[in-house]
Amino acid sequence: MKRQRTRKRWALWACLGVAVLAVAVAAAYLISTLPFYDSFYKNVNSLETVRKELKDIKEICVPEASWLGLTDGTYRLRMDGRFLDAEPEGYYIKGTTQYNGKEISVSIDCLPSVTYGGTVQQESKYRDISIKYVTFEGYEQEDSTSKHATGFDLQGYSYSVNTSFSTEGMSETEKENMTEASKYWAMEIAHRMIDSVCEE
């Protein structure tokens, strides 16, 4: 009698184990085959597409292509989830611009209010909006790249205008000039974005 109960118990546990394993395998298969956005971003083909996709979110400011002067560009929508029913909630723009024949990599992030890292070097006010100029220490020693960000909050969204350039083979004076040029570019974009919202 005891042996029969023990066998029934083992059979029950074995069936339960097989069922759990089958559910886990089915779930893993479903997750691996479902279409989803990589890292919450959806690639789009132009800045105009970014503008169209975000037109219903009146609080978001998308810069004009003429302000940026990018020689190339990649454009992504920040999504509120990873699956295909996700809705856009921000954007990411990346490209390059030129100064004295040298390339400056630039990007602009727009996200619902966040706090960015880095060391604040300077904080200023423009139209009562606080703008922070941030440097990222340690990068230059690691990969000969100088990286900076100009960040501000506007109507519940955080914007980061980022610049970076290779310092390889540059003198200190050239580095300073490039840093000032990239900072000027980023501040100009920040001011134009703030103007476009304040003047509406």
Side-chain angles (χ1 to χ4, degrees):
M1 201 69 158
K2 281 184 181 179
R3 283 181 182 176
Q4 280 183 335
R5 283 181 188 168
T6 304
R7 282 177 187 167
K8 283 181 181 177
R9 206 173 281 158
W10 277 109
L12 183 63
W13 279 110
C15 288
L16 187 61
V18 169
V20 168
L21 183 61
V23 169
V25 168
Y29 176 77
L30 187 63
I31 288 168
S32 68
T33 55
L34 275 176
F36 62 89
Y37 297 117
D38 180 33
S39 303
F40 295 91
Y41 282 96
K42 173 185 175 183
N43 293 321
V44 295
N45 58 9
S46 69
L47 191 55
E48 192 53 40
T49 305
V50 171
R51 194 181 307 285
K52 283 179 183 173
E53 291 283 340
L54 294 169
K55 69 180 188 313
D56 292 333
I57 308 177
K58 305 298 183 191
E59 296 81 10
I60 288 184
C61 174
V62 181
E64 300 285 343
S66 60
W67 302 350
L68 304 178
L70 302 181
T71 54
D72 55 3
T74 56
Y75 310 95
R76 305 170 84 190
L77 292 165
R78 167 72 185 195
M79 311 303 286
D80 63 5
R82 294 189 68 187
F83 295 105
L84 294 186
D85 62 348
E87 295 293 327
E89 62 173 2
Y91 62 81
Y92 175 74
I93 300 165
K94 185 179 180 182
T96 56
T97 189
Q98 299 282 325
Y99 173 74
N100 279 352
K102 296 190 183 294
E103 208 170 74
I104 301 176
S105 296
V106 299
S107 66
I108 301 174
D109 278 303
C110 166
L111 293 169
S113 249
V114 297
T115 301
Y116 292 102
T119 304
V120 177
Q121 295 291 336
Q122 182 183 339
E123 189 165 357
S124 59
K125 287 264 188 183
Y126 182 75
R127 289 194 171 215
D128 291 328
I129 305 295
S130 178
I131 301 176
K132 294 178 182 176
Y133 178 68
V134 175
T135 59
F136 296 91
E137 295 173 353
Y139 285 101
E140 194 167 323
Q141 291 77 13
E142 290 172 20
D143 60 4
S144 299
T145 302
S146 181
K147 301 187 181 187
H148 312 270
T150 299
F152 58 97
D153 290 337
L154 198 57
Q155 300 189 128
Y157 287 83
S158 294
Y159 297 87
S160 179
V161 184
N162 311 292
T163 60
S164 66
F165 58 88
S166 172
T167 59
E168 197 168 344
M170 280 188 185
S171 67
E172 285 305 313
T173 302
E174 287 174 322
K175 287 180 192 176
E176 286 172 14
N177 289 342
M178 281 289 280
T179 298
E180 282 304 308
S182 63
K183 180 180 177 182
Y184 178 83
W185 184 91
M187 284 292 184
E188 182 72 13
I189 298 303
H191 290 176
R192 288 189 177 195
M193 291 175 74
I194 293 167
D195 285 341
S196 71
V197 170
C198 293
E199 290 170 0
E200 286 179 353

